[in-house]
């Protein structure tokens, strides 16, 4: 694991993830304390990417559980393969007959059969889902529980045992403890309030949209073929759009997609036509597209949308 915060920053940057000082510090502490990390913030600011980068930086496999409404413990933990168990029983029927044939009483036969429980109730009949796979892994892993706020409160309560003791109760087997404590990252888009019990078990990190300079650095790293001038214009426009009270602000991943699109179009500047014809790369709601187009028309006297640097007041304000 990492020896200090500086190592965390360097390792995450090596995975093309540019962390703030707060992100590096909290990741370092989560690793040292062995506590789950709960990351909250708007959609598309890099919460999931942080877990992926942490996995790559620490050379641990990533196991991902995508949460959704209606997710329950059976879908997240394991599936018991009853058909395989029945087939196994049928194949061993003759052996069972030999085992029980010499029993003098029903009690003796039941005791002999009970001694063989491990044959019929074992991990060989478990189909591990992400949570159990993380606990049973032969090597340390990063367990990403993505968008926990989309799951029901009942499932959130079920997670408490895993997050506290890194163990889970399975009726057929009893209590299963983790072979290695997984590094757990939970993400939330704040669609609902999470319980205090869950938050108490985690270190907390709020990830917001990056600053102008941070996002510019991200674009330069992810789309190195983009010119300095165009990269700055790209970030200027996106940062301005986030001040427009849109239904859904452009995410960092959409900024990167737009930058790649500009490269593919061989654009040398972001003029009115280029911006209008590529708006849907950034905006995914028609009402947002129309609002942005009205803004373009108001600022359309300029030939291009020139960057003015961090903190500037652009046409998009």
């Amino acid at each position: 694991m990492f020896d200090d915060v500086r190592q965390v920053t360097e390792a995450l940057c090596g995975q093309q993830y540019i962390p703030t000082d707060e992100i590096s510090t909290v990741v370092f502490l989560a690793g040292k304390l062995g506590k789950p990390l709960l990351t909250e913030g708007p959609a598309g600011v890099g919460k999931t990417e942080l877990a992926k980068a942490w996995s790559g930086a620490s050379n641990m496999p990533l196991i991902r559980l995508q949460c959704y409404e209606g997710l329950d413990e059976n879908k997240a933990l394991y599936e018991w393969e009853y058909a395989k168990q029945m087939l196994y029983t049928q194949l061993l029927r003759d052996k069972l007959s030999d085992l029980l044939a010499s029993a003098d009483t029903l009690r003796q036969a039941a005791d002999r059969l009970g001694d063989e429980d491990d044959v019929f109730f074992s991990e060989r009949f478990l189909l591990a889902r992400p949570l159990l796979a993380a606990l049973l892994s032969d090597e340390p892993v990063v367990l990403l529980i993505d968008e926990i706020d989309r799951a029901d409160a009942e499932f959130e309560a079920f997670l408490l045992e895993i997050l506290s003791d890194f163990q889970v109760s399975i009726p057929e087997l009893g209590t299963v403890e983790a072979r290695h404590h997984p590094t757990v990252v939970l993400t939330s888009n704040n669609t609902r309030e999470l319980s205090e019990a869950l938050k108490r078990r985690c270190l907390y990190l709020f990830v917001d949209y990056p600053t102008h300079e941070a996002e510019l650095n991200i674009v330069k790293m992810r789309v190195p073929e983009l010119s300095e001038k165009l990269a700055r214009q790209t970030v200027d426009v996106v940062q301005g759009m986030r001040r427009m009270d849109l239904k859904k602000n452009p995410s960092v991943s959409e900024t990167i997609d737009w930058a790649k699109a500009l490269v593919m179009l061989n654009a040398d500047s972001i003029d009115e036509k280029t911006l209008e014809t590529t708006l849907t790369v950034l905006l995914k709601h028609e009402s947002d597209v129309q609002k942005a187009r009205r803004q373009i028309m108001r600022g359309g006297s300029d030939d291009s949308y020139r960057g003015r640097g961090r903190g500037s007041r652009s046409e998009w304000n």
Side-chain angles (χ1 to χ4, degrees), residues 126-193:
L126 282 182
L127 180 60
R129 299 303 187 192
L131 293 182
L132 187 61
L135 295 180
L136 296 181
S137 175
D138 291 327
E139 58 181 327
V141 302
V142 173
L143 172 61
L144 169 60
I145 303 176
D146 213 8
E147 297 183 318
I148 180 61
D149 53 321
R150 292 184 178 274
D152 300 326
E154 291 78 7
F155 180 75
E156 184 183 327
F158 158 73
L159 284 177
L160 298 181
E161 181 183 10
I162 295 177
L163 298 181
S164 296
D165 303 319
F166 296 102
Q167 66 181 32
V168 69
S169 300
I170 298 177
E172 294 86 352
L173 298 179
T175 300
V176 176
E177 297 183 356
R179 294 171 182 169
H180 301 277
H181 283 194
T183 297
V184 183
V185 179
L186 302 96
T187 73
S188 168
N189 294 333
N190 289 325
T191 59
R192 70 172 176 86
E193 184 69 23

Side-chain angles (χ1 to χ4, degrees), residues 18 210-218 220 232 235 239 309-310:
I18 300 179
T211 63
H212 185 284
E213 287 304 312
E215 191 160 21
L216 181 59
N217 289 333
I218 292 170
K220 288 179 179 179
R232 191 168 293 277
V235 175
Q239 294 262 329
R310 183 178 179 181

Side-chain angles (χ1 to χ4, degrees), residues 7-35:
Q7 282 190 0
V8 174
T9 300
E10 292 175 352
L12 293 179
C13 287
Q15 299 296 314
Q16 292 197 317
Y17 186 96
I18 300 179
T20 63
D21 290 341
E22 181 184 12
I23 289 175
S24 295
T25 301
V26 176
V27 166
F28 171 74
L29 292 174
K32 285 296 186 181
L33 296 173
K35 293 180 71 70

Side-chain angles (χ1 to χ4, degrees), residues 39-304:
T39 61
E40 287 192 318
V45 294
K47 302 184 297 296
T48 300
E49 289 301 314
L50 174 58
K52 294 179 180 179
W54 196 350
S55 168
S58 55
N59 294 315
M60 291 190 290
L62 178 72
I63 296 179
R64 179 175 180 173
L65 172 63
Q66 179 63 52
C67 298
Y68 55 88
E69 186 178 354
L71 177 66
D72 59 28
E73 58 184 87
N74 290 330
K75 296 173 184 175
L77 188 59
Y78 73 97
E79 180 180 340
W80 189 262
E81 296 187 287
Y82 291 103
K84 182 178 179 181
Q85 186 186 39
M86 290 297 297
L87 178 61
Y88 200 81
T89 303
Q90 291 173 2
L91 292 173
L92 295 178
R93 184 169 48 191
D94 292 340
K95 290 292 183 182
L96 285 173
S97 298
D98 294 341
L99 177 69
L100 301 179
S102 60
D104 296 327
T105 65
L106 286 176
R107 181 182 296 277
Q108 189 178 33
D111 289 341
R112 289 185 179 182
L113 192 59
D115 291 339
E116 305 300 328
D117 276 353
D118 289 346
V119 176
F120 300 100
F121 294 93
S122 66
E123 291 181 15
R124 63 168 54 90
F125 303 116
L126 282 182
L127 180 60
R129 299 303 187 192
L131 293 182
L132 187 61
L135 295 180
L136 296 181
S137 175
D138 291 327
E139 58 181 327
V141 302
V142 173
L143 172 61
L144 169 60
I145 303 176
D146 213 8
E147 297 183 318
I148 180 61
D149 53 321
R150 292 184 178 274
D152 300 326
E154 291 78 7
F155 180 75
E156 184 183 327
F158 158 73
L159 284 177
L160 298 181
E161 181 183 10
I162 295 177
L163 298 181
S164 296
D165 303 319
F166 296 102
Q167 66 181 32
V168 69
S169 300
I170 298 177
E172 294 86 352
L173 298 179
T175 300
V176 176
E177 297 183 356
R179 294 171 182 169
H180 301 277
H181 283 194
T183 297
V184 183
V185 179
L186 302 96
T187 73
S188 168
N189 294 333
N190 289 325
T191 59
R192 70 172 176 86
E193 184 69 23
L194 300 177
S195 70
E196 292 300 323
L198 179 70
K199 291 184 176 181
R200 191 166 57 249
R201 286 162 171 79
C202 304
L203 292 188
Y204 179 79
L205 175 66
F206 185 84
V207 182
D208 206 349
Y209 292 111
T211 63
H212 185 284
E213 287 304 312
E215 191 160 21
L216 181 59
N217 289 333
I218 292 170
V219 171
K220 288 179 179 179
M221 176 179 285
R222 294 296 187 92
V223 195
E225 59 270 35
L226 197 67
S227 69
E228 170 76 24
K229 169 190 170 185
L230 200 50
R232 191 168 293 277
Q233 287 180 349
T234 298
V235 175
D236 284 346
V237 172
V238 172
Q239 294 262 329
M241 284 185 176
R242 292 186 187 134
R243 295 190 289 267
M244 289 178 59
D245 190 26
L246 300 174
K247 186 174 182 179
K248 180 190 178 299
N249 287 328
S251 67
V252 177
S253 62
E254 286 161 342
T255 304
I256 295 170
D257 288 343
W258 193 41
K260 291 178 179 178
L262 294 173
V263 171
M264 293 175 186
L265 293 172
N266 296 316
D268 54 13
S269 66
I270 304 176
D271 56 27
E272 182 178 339
K273 181 179 179 181
T274 300
L275 181 55
E276 186 171 2
T277 55
T278 59
L279 267 178
T280 52
V281 178
L282 289 172
L283 305 178
K284 306 302 168 64
H285 293 276
E286 181 60 22
S287 60
D288 291 345
V289 172
Q290 293 302 325
K291 183 179 289 187
R293 281 179 176 157
R294 288 193 297 270
Q295 188 68 46
I296 292 172
M297 293 177 66
R298 287 200 296 270
S301 58
D302 290 345
D303 292 331
S304 64

